[in-house]
Amino acid sequence: MSDTLELTKDLISRSSVTPEDAGCQAMLAERLEKIGFNIEHMRFGETDNLWARRGTEGPVFAFAGHTDVVPTGPEENWKFPPFQPTIDEGLLYGRGTADMKGSIACMVTACERFIEQNPQHKGSIAFLITSDEEGPAHDGTVKVIDTLKARNEKIDWCLVGEPSSTNKVCDVIKNGRRGSIGATLKVKGKQGHVAYPQLAKNPIHEFAPVLKILSETEWDQGNEFFPPTTFQVSNIHSGTGATNVIPGECEIVFNFRFSTAITDSIIRQKVEALLEQHNIDYEIDWALSGQAFLTERGDLVSAAQDAIKQVCEFDTELSTAGGTSDGRFIAPTGAQVVELGPRNATIHQVNECVAVDDLEILSDVYEKILYNLLK
């Protein structure tokens, strides 16, 4: 069993359902300390974070990832127990295999091999590992970044091990992500009897024309790297449950996934202007999950593309598709950020798995990236 596979299995065997770390970071810290990393454990609230750095000079290349995993769902629906890593027909099964304990294991073993051959590498190598990525993400990467900024410690290049690959490992590099802003909108009306609508004010009817406009608006046309901004309603709550009562208020929860062609402030302004224009009596609570970010072609993207070409012998695709990641907290510091990890076909699903061979390939690619940037 390879070092990468063994470490992946050790991590999976720990039931680290968010925000629990279950000792994963201590195990990682022990291995990294043996190869010259300075270890800092940063705990904020219920969240364990690890900042490990080897070297004191720039540029700083950081691996970023998370040890927490999503809940398993009914364990009886799994082919094998989700925290009992099992290999079957070349696939390693277990919660977190792809998202993203496998990536973390690949990062560590890539560093071990690289440092053995290059103990005097230039710059610094770092690890930023959290147990709060699958949860609210309030006390994880964002707090570590705040701590680093306060002491003028800067990441130049960051590789996030999120499962970016689609059909084969390393076929996609995520070099950016759309921004995400959500809102909870409360439209106020007046409760009454459905037989006397003139004595009431139906908030659903009041909001319906606005909803039609919001869903049909072209917010932007996107750009070379991003598709157009999208608007989606995720929840609507109203009514008493009775068929003969006009509701007194309606709560609508919605979300925008936006490109770099627009800003969150413009989105807010347009939505609120539309509500005012239609004389809606409302309260709105906005929540910005992350700004859109893009790492254009440069040192990090080139190093990753070249490494994949060397190891996999094919050209990889750049993409900004998908949801958010902790890269949204790192990119605003000025760091170049990419996401590169296993195939994402089974993430957050029953029977999450990763091909054993893919782990070896990914570890080799990570090692080549280190060579390309720091040798």
Side-chain angles (χ1 to χ4, degrees), residues 177-321:
R177 291 283 193 166
R178 292 177 296 172
S180 175
I181 184 169
T184 300
L185 171 67
K186 183 182 293 184
V187 177
K188 302 174 185 178
K190 182 181 179 182
Q191 185 173 308
H193 197 294
V194 296
Y196 302 95
Q198 72 276 14
L199 301 178
K201 185 179 181 181
N202 192 319
I204 300 174
H205 293 187
E206 293 287 309
F207 181 66
V210 177
L211 176 57
K212 185 175 188 295
I213 295 171
L214 288 171
S215 61
E216 293 177 350
T217 296
E218 181 182 76
W219 299 91
D220 58 56
Q221 295 182 334
N223 53 37
E224 178 187 359
F225 293 100
F226 290 92
T229 294
T230 60
F231 164 84
Q232 288 292 316
V233 172
S234 55
N235 291 276
I236 296 180
H237 303 285
S238 190
T240 64
T243 61
N244 60 351
V245 179
I246 294 171
E249 64 180 35
C250 178
E251 183 179 272
I252 305 98
V253 181
F254 57 84
N255 179 268
F256 288 89
R257 294 300 166 102
F258 61 96
S259 72
T260 52
I262 197 171
T263 66
D264 65 291
S265 60
I266 291 175
I267 291 172
R268 297 181 199 219
Q269 291 167 13
K270 286 188 173 183
V271 170
E272 293 180 14
L274 187 61
L275 292 167
E276 299 287 347
Q277 180 184 339
H278 284 75
N279 298 314
I280 303 294
D281 185 6
Y282 72 94
E283 294 176 1
I284 191 165
D285 182 22
W286 292 97
L288 178 66
S289 299
Q291 296 285 2
F293 71 89
L294 176 70
T295 296
E296 298 195 34
R297 292 174 178 84
D299 294 339
L300 181 57
V301 170
S302 295
Q305 289 177 316
D306 291 348
I308 292 168
K309 186 72 170 180
Q310 288 177 277
V311 175
C312 304
E313 298 183 343
F314 59 73
D315 294 321
T316 191
E317 173 191 349
L318 296 179
S319 171
T320 61

Side-chain angles (χ1 to χ4, degrees), residues 23 30 34 57-58 112 117 170 182 206 213 291 359 363 373:
E30 183 178 355
K34 288 179 180 178
E57 303 296 325
E112 288 172 339
Q117 296 298 318
C170 297
E206 293 287 309
I213 295 171
Q291 296 285 2
L359 293 174
S363 183
L373 291 172

